[in-house]
Amino acid sequence: MSVVPTGGTLGILGGGQLGRMLAMSAARLGIDAHIYAPEENSPAARVSAAFTCAAYDDAAALKAFAQSVDAITTEFENVPARTCEILAAFTPVRPHARALEIAQDRVAEKTFLNEQGIGTAPWRAVTTAPEMTDATAAIGLPAILKTRRLGYDGKGQARIMAAAESDQALADMKAAPSILEGFVAFDREISVIVARGIDGAIACYDPGENDHEDGILRRTTVPASIPAATRDAAYAIAEKIVRSLDYVGVMGVEMFVQSDGTILVNEIAPRVHNTGHWTLEGCAISQFEQHVRAVCGWPLGSTERHSNAVMTNLLGAEADDWLALGNAAQAVHLYGKGASRPGRKMGHVTTLSPKT
Ligand code: AMP
């Protein structure tokens, strides 16, 4: 079990805002970040000691990168499994490739969760019209058709409210392998940010309550308004997931809470997560520092929350206007992404209030 010492270097696959906040937390621990990403314009690279701009299948660049760092992690779950295999021949990769592979494919993800006895929306794998007919009959409507791979922020999804809409929904998937999920009439959406260290220690942050608009996270509020028993059940699910995967690092587990308190898992993200950004101000040790500690083989830190927090994403042009929000108590994070597009996550603000 290799441990990255202070003064060492952590390699990070992916160059977006999650990598940027990981790199800044690593710096606070005296650990340099080396970003590996295919895009030249990288918000993470701009705050890091080193940057390799190369494709995820560039074996020579991957080898040189792996040999120049002490451990490797990812801020982006769609890194090809083969990339992790190439890297792992030289340097520890945490979390391991299997966790990424499961999270990359909604069918593999739900199969894994159900095998652990964890509830999900009812689902069927669907690619062809006959499969769609069978799946709709089995699951009923309304339902949601999603691509198995590469969907994010509600992209690659179609809601099917009536049978007449199902042909068009399938056509929109353009023959991409898909999954039909029953529509969950949830009371609220929550997420647990869970961390597991190389020694097997597990720590969870208080669940956040999440509001989405058009499939994109708008706001996370902590604490979530759920009873203690629901919170404890959410922790137990998150802990089971990381333990059964022998996972190392931080993971975001998105959940639906139904009116009877039953929890269904929507998605797992094998990385730091947008719904955990509040921990930067709401806890002594943020999800970013926690992830760096875990993947570098350090002991986990405390996940204790010292305040209530509301984290609001700044989407598109909202980030140009954050000064106009007029609230000096808000902690502002701007990701330095350059061009804003509608719906693009450009930054976030967090407001604290006394802990309840
Ligand atoms: P996802 O990309 O799977 O995280 O979905 C984005 C958002 O769509 C979720 O956060 C939910 O608000 C909503 N959603 C996704 N799947 C379902 C479902 N099976 N039932 C109800 N709402 C869903």
Side-chain angles (χ1 to χ4, degrees):
M1 288 296 188
S2 72
V3 172
V4 180
T6 189
T9 302
L10 175 63
I12 301 175
L13 300 169
Q17 69 267 19
L18 301 179
R20 181 178 173 100
M21 290 184 271
L22 282 171
M24 292 193 289
S25 289
R28 211 179 74 172
L29 300 176
I31 293 172
D32 285 341
H34 181 159
I35 303 296
Y36 188 109
E39 310 85 25
E40 220 155 89
N41 184 8
S42 160
R46 253 176 277 122
V47 300
S48 295
F51 179 32
T52 299
C53 183
Y56 288 126
D57 61 358
D58 182 337
L62 289 170
K63 181 177 174 188
F65 169 70
Q67 288 178 329
S68 73
V69 299
D70 301 299
I72 295 171
T73 191
T74 168
E75 64 114 44
F76 169 64
E77 69 259 36
N78 288 313
V79 172
R82 177 78 193 120
T83 303
C84 295
E85 279 164 22
I86 294 172
L87 295 169
F90 304 100
T91 308
V93 178
R94 302 179 184 130
H96 52 64
R98 199 170 92 79
L100 299 189
E101 278 183 289
I102 288 173
Q104 283 168 7
D105 176 0
R106 293 185 192 274
V107 166
E109 187 177 47
K110 288 203 168 47
T111 303
F112 160 74
L113 290 166
N114 295 161
E115 279 170 5
Q116 301 304 316
I118 296 170
T120 61
W123 61 274
R124 291 281 186 288
V126 163
T127 309
T128 64
E131 285 167 353
M132 184 71 178
T133 306
D134 290 351
T136 313
I139 291 169
L141 295 178
I144 304 187
L145 189 64
K146 303 179 180 178
T147 53
R148 282 175 63 162
R149 292 179 175 274
L150 298 174
Y152 71 100
D153 287 348
K155 294 186 177 62
Q157 297 189 10
R159 289 193 182 194
I160 305 172
M161 306 309 286
E165 293 165 11
S166 68
D167 286 354
Q168 188 57 50
L170 188 64
D172 289 347
M173 295 295 149
K174 299 189 166 62
S178 300
I179 183 171
L180 187 74
E181 291 182 20
F183 190 84
V184 179
F186 53 78
D187 249 13
R188 50 193 93 246
E189 287 188 79
I190 63 167
S191 51
V192 173
I193 307 297
V194 55
R196 186 166 177 275
I198 53 173
D199 58 356
I202 298 177
C204 295
Y205 290 93
D206 266 358
E209 183 164 337
N210 305 319
D211 294 307
H212 290 83
E213 286 169 14
D214 301 325
I216 303 175
L217 181 70
R218 164 52 70 187
R219 194 177 308 103
T220 296
T221 304
V222 190
S225 36
I226 50 174
T230 308
R231 182 198 61 203
D232 292 345
Y235 288 156
I237 289 171
E239 287 172 13
K240 190 172 202 178
I241 292 171
V242 290
R243 193 176 300 114
S244 60
L245 281 175
D246 196 19
Y247 186 88
V248 173
V250 162
M251 173 186 281
V253 184
E254 295 181 32
M255 306 173 182
F256 300 134
V257 182
Q258 297 177 290
S259 55
D260 64 356
T262 315
I263 295 173
L264 303 177
V265 172
N266 176 36
E267 230 173 33
I268 61 173
R271 53 170 170 75
V272 288
H273 197 248
N274 193 171
T275 64
H277 290 2
W278 65 271
T279 60
L280 280 164
E281 284 82 23
C283 302
I285 292 156
S286 73
Q287 64 163 348
F288 300 100
E289 177 171 337
Q290 195 74 281
H291 186 75
V292 172
R293 284 177 177 237
V295 301
C296 289
W298 293 26
L300 297 184
S302 163
T303 49
E304 196 178 329
R305 172 174 68 83
H306 55 66
S307 297
N308 288 3
V310 179
M311 186 288 315
T312 307
N313 274 335
L314 298 174
L315 304 175
E318 288 168 1
D320 305 331
D321 236 12
W322 67 269
L323 275 174
L325 294 170
N327 185 344
Q330 282 180 323
V332 179
H333 299 256
L334 298 167
Y335 306 148
K337 279 185 167 177
S340 71
R341 286 191 305 273
R344 190 174 192 207
K345 292 174 179 170
M346 302 300 290
H348 72 267
V349 293
T350 302
T351 309
L352 299 181
S353 55
K355 183 176 178 178
T356 54

